[in-house]
Amino acid sequence: MGPRLDIENPRWRSAWCVAARLTFWLLCVGAGAGILGAAAAYLLLARDLPVIPPFEAIRFDTVSRVRATHGQVLAEMFAERRYLVPADEMPPLIVQAFLASEDERFFEHSGTDLRGIARAAVTNLRAGRVKEGASTITQQLARSLLLSQERRVVRKVREAILARRIEDIYSKDQILTLYLNLIFLGNGAHGVQAASRVYFGKELADLTPAEAAAIAVLPQSPGSVTPVSKPDVVRTRRDHVLRRMHLRGLLDDEALEAALGTEILAIPGHDNLAERAPIPATEVMKEVGPLARRASNTPILSGEGGITAVATIDLGLQLAAQQAAREAAVRLARRQGYPGPIAHLIASRWDEFARRNATHLGVASASELPPLDPVLALATRVEPAGVHLMITPQITGFLPLDRMRWATPYSAFPPDAPDKDRVRVSLDGRLKSAADAVAVGDVILVRPAGAEPPPRRSRRSREAPPPEPTGLRPDTPRFELDVFPGPQAALASVDPRSGRIVALVGGTDFDVSQVNRNQSVRQTGSAIKPLYYARAYDAGIPPSTVLAGTPYREGQWAPVGDEDSTDMTLYEALTKSENRVSLRVYRAVLDAVGLDGLNDWLRRLGWSRALQGYTPEALGADATPMEMLTAFATFANRGITVTPHLVREVRDSTGRLLVDRRSSRDPAVPLLDAVAREIASPSEDARRVLTPQSAYLIAHNLRNVAEEGTGRTTRKLGRPVCGKTGTLPFDVWFIGWTHELATVSWLGQDRRERWLGRTKSSGRVFGADTALPAWMDFMTVATAELPVIDDLEVPPEGITMVDIDPSTGLLATSGGMTMPHLSGTEPTDAAPEAGTVAADAEAAAF
C-alpha cells in the first residue's frame, strides 16, 4: 500500500466557510441595520426639535416695576418674576456654587456627561431608587428653554440631542448665562437674581457663600423644597455643595466652617402691592400695562429688562392717607353700632386658635403689637366690667367696658320695609354691660388701647361709672374693641400747581374691595355749591348781593331743612351752606349763562357729566371725588386747571424715557429740564378756566367757610385753609386746600343698606364731623414742619376789599364783614346806621 493522503472533506470546509461568511454578513447586516435604525431613530426624534435661535435673539419674560416718587417699589408686573443678569455682571460665586451642585464637569463635556451618567446609575442601583440625576446644565437648559418637563425616556434622548446642538451653537459662558437667568427656583422666582431677592432680600452680588450654595441646590426640586418651605432639607443639600466647593479649592477652611455654621434664614414674603399703596399701584399698572407687555420680552444682553414707571405718590403721605381714611371709617362704624363677633369657638378649639394666631402675628408680647392695627382675640371670660381676652398662648389682656361703650346692636334697613325714608337705624348707642355685646367663646377684633378712652358721643349728662373688673392684675394689657368698618372711605391729594397726585386711597381695605372710589360716581351734596357760586362771581354777580332766604318752591318741589329764613349775601350763604339762597343763586347763574354755559364751565373744571338744569341739582349732583378735587384744585391754582396724574415718568431698561409727565414745578426735576418743560408747556391762558380775580373771590369765600362756617375745625391746622363740606344721607364730604395740597375726603355707604346716620332727614352724621376729621388727620401729617404761606394775603389787581353790612349788602358804617369784589362791582352806598333794611324787591324775587 502506498502512503495515505490526509485530505479534508471539502464539504466540511465548505460548511465552516459558509457559516463564517454567514456570521460575518449577519453581523454586517445587523450593524448596518443598527446604524440605519439609530439613524432613523435620530431622524425621528430630532425631526421636530425646536430651532435654536441665535443668542442675541433670545427673549425672556421680565419684571416691570412701579416705584413711588422717592424710589420705593410699589408693585411689580410680570408673567414670570425674572431680573436679567448679563454675563459680565454675573458674580463668580453663584457660578461656582451652581457648577458644584449641578455640573462639576460642565467645561469638560459637550452637552452630556457619560461619566456622570455612569456614576448616577451606580448610585441609584445601590439606593434602589432614583437618588441622583445625571442631567448636565446644558441638558437642563434644553429642557427649560425648548422642551417640556415630562419624565419620559424619549424626552431624555431628545434632550441629549438638543444639548449637543446647543453646545455647538453657544459658548459655555452663553450657556451659563442663559441657564442662570432661566432656571425656575421656587416661590415664583425665575433666575438667580429673582431667587436672591425673594429668599434673602439681597442683590445677587451681595450673597454670602452659604446663601449662594442654598440657591444652587434649588433646581433639584424647586416646587417642593425651598428655604421657606423646607429649610432643613435645603441646609443638608447646601452643606454638600459647600464641601464640594471646598474640595475644588473655591472655599478655604475658615470660609467653609463659617458657611456650614450659618442657618437658613429666608426673609418673610412681602406683598408690596397690598402693604404699601395698592390703589395707586393698581391704577398705574392699568395705565402702563401695554408698555410693560411690549417691554417684557427682553434681550439677554440689555440689562434687567421690563420698564420702570415712577408714580407721583409720596409713600409717606400715602400711608398717612390710608390710615386717616380707615380711622375715619372705623369711627363712623362705631357710631353705627356693633355688628357682632367674627366667629364663635367651642372651648376645645381655643388652644388651636391661640397657636394659629401666634403664628400669624409673630410677636411674643402685647407691647410688640402694632398700636393701630386690629388683631383677633378670643373672649375667655365676660363680666359686666369687661372681657378677658386670649390672643396667643403668651398674650392675654382685658377689654374694659369703657373701651366698648359704642357696641350696642347694629341695625340696617329691614328687607321688607315699605318706606325706607321713615326707617330709623342704630346710631350713638351706649352699652351698659360688656355681657350685652360679647359672649364667652366669641372671636372679636381688638387693638391696643390708647392713653385715654374714646370720647363719649352721648349728650346725656349722667352715666353710671363702669363696674370694677375682678381678678385682674394692674399690668394686664388693655385693649379696645375694634370693627371691620361697613362704611367706605376715599381720600385723594394733589399738588394744585403740577397736578401730581401724592396720595390716593380708594377704600378702607384692599383685600376686601379693590374699587377705587375716587372714580365712583356719588352725590355731592352741598360740596357742589362753590362751583356755581364761582360761576356767579365770574359772571359779575357781587358777593355782597343779598338774596331772599324765604322758603323756596318750584312746582310741587319744596326743599326742607333750613330753619333760618333770613335774607343774606351770597358770601354769607356759601359760608353757612344755606340752601334757600343757594337755590336762588343757581337759578340766577342759569339765567345769566344758560345751561350750556354752566355745563361748559363744569367741563373745564374737570367734570364729565352734564347737569340737566333742574333746580335740585343746586343741592347735589353726580360726580366722582376726583372730579370734585380737580375743580377745587383749579380754584387753588388761581383759576388755572391742571390734570391730576399718577405717572410721573416711564423708562425702559436702558433708561430711555417712554413717558414723561414731569412738571417744571416738580422739585425732583433738574433745573435745565424744568426750564425746557416750562417753555414747552401750554401757556397759562390756554389752561385758564376763570380769571385770577374770580378765583380769588371763590377762594376767599371758601376761606371764610373754613374759618367761620361748616369747616371751622380746620382752624386747628394752624395754617390758612379753604374748603367746603357736603352732607347727604349716604355720603359726606370735605374738599379743601392749603398752599401745598388740595385734598378730598369722602365717606359713604357702598350698598346703601342703611343711612350713614339715624334717619334720612335727621342723620346726625355730617361732613364736618365725619369727612373733615379724616382730611385733618392727613393734612396734619402732610403739612407738618412746612412754612405757613397765605395765598390770599395779597389780592390780585382788580380786586377791591370792602366791609359789608351782611344784612343789607351795603357798605358797613362800622364793623361788618370784609368781602372781596371785582373792582367796580362793590356797593357805593352805606348801610343805614340804625335798623336793618330788607333786601330790595327785585333781589328777593329770586
Side-chain angles (χ1 to χ4, degrees), residues 316-375:
L317 297 184
Q318 175 69 25
L319 296 177
Q322 289 171 182
Q323 188 66 51
R326 187 185 186 281
E327 287 299 299
V330 168
R331 287 192 295 265
L332 178 55
R334 289 179 174 181
R335 293 186 63 189
Q336 291 180 346
Y338 181 52
I342 295 171
H344 184 84
L345 299 179
I346 59 176
S348 60
R349 299 188 61 188
W350 289 7
D351 291 341
E352 178 187 3
F353 164 83
R355 289 193 303 270
R356 290 191 176 187
N357 213 21
T359 301
H360 171 70
L361 294 173
V363 298
S365 66
S367 61
E368 299 178 48
L369 293 171
L372 296 177
D373 292 347
V375 298

Side-chain angles (χ1 to χ4, degrees), residues 226-389:
T226 70
V228 175
S229 62
K230 294 183 179 178
D232 294 340
V233 177
V234 171
R235 181 170 185 174
T236 300
R237 295 178 179 179
R238 178 207 68 180
D239 291 351
H240 179 63
V241 171
L242 289 170
R243 292 188 180 96
R244 283 187 178 182
M245 295 173 70
H246 177 256
L247 288 174
R248 297 180 65 186
L250 302 174
L251 295 176
D252 57 27
D253 294 343
E254 183 179 353
L256 174 64
E257 184 178 354
L260 292 175
T262 303
E263 296 284 342
I264 298 289
L265 297 176
I267 63 171
H270 292 290
D271 184 354
N272 287 328
L273 178 64
E275 295 174 2
R276 291 186 170 175
I279 288 296
T282 304
E283 295 294 330
V284 171
M285 287 191 289
K286 290 179 185 176
E287 185 172 346
V288 305
L291 288 175
R293 284 189 289 274
R294 287 199 293 271
S296 64
N297 294 322
T298 305
I300 191 68
L301 301 177
S302 67
E304 278 201 0
I307 63 171
T308 298
V310 179
T312 58
I313 293 297
D314 182 309
L315 186 55
L317 297 184
Q318 175 69 25
L319 296 177
Q322 289 171 182
Q323 188 66 51
R326 187 185 186 281
E327 287 299 299
V330 168
R331 287 192 295 265
L332 178 55
R334 289 179 174 181
R335 293 186 63 189
Q336 291 180 346
Y338 181 52
I342 295 171
H344 184 84
L345 299 179
I346 59 176
S348 60
R349 299 188 61 188
W350 289 7
D351 291 341
E352 178 187 3
F353 164 83
R355 289 193 303 270
R356 290 191 176 187
N357 213 21
T359 301
H360 171 70
L361 294 173
V363 298
S365 66
S367 61
E368 299 178 48
L369 293 171
L372 296 177
D373 292 347
V375 298
L376 294 177
L378 179 71
T380 57
R381 183 158 62 94
V382 179
E383 55 183 289
V387 182
H388 297 262
L389 305 172

Side-chain angles (χ1 to χ4, degrees), residues 437-456:
V438 178
V440 172
D442 281 355
V443 177
I444 59 178
L445 207 63
V446 300
R447 68 168 80 176
E452 297 294 334
R456 186 168 69 92

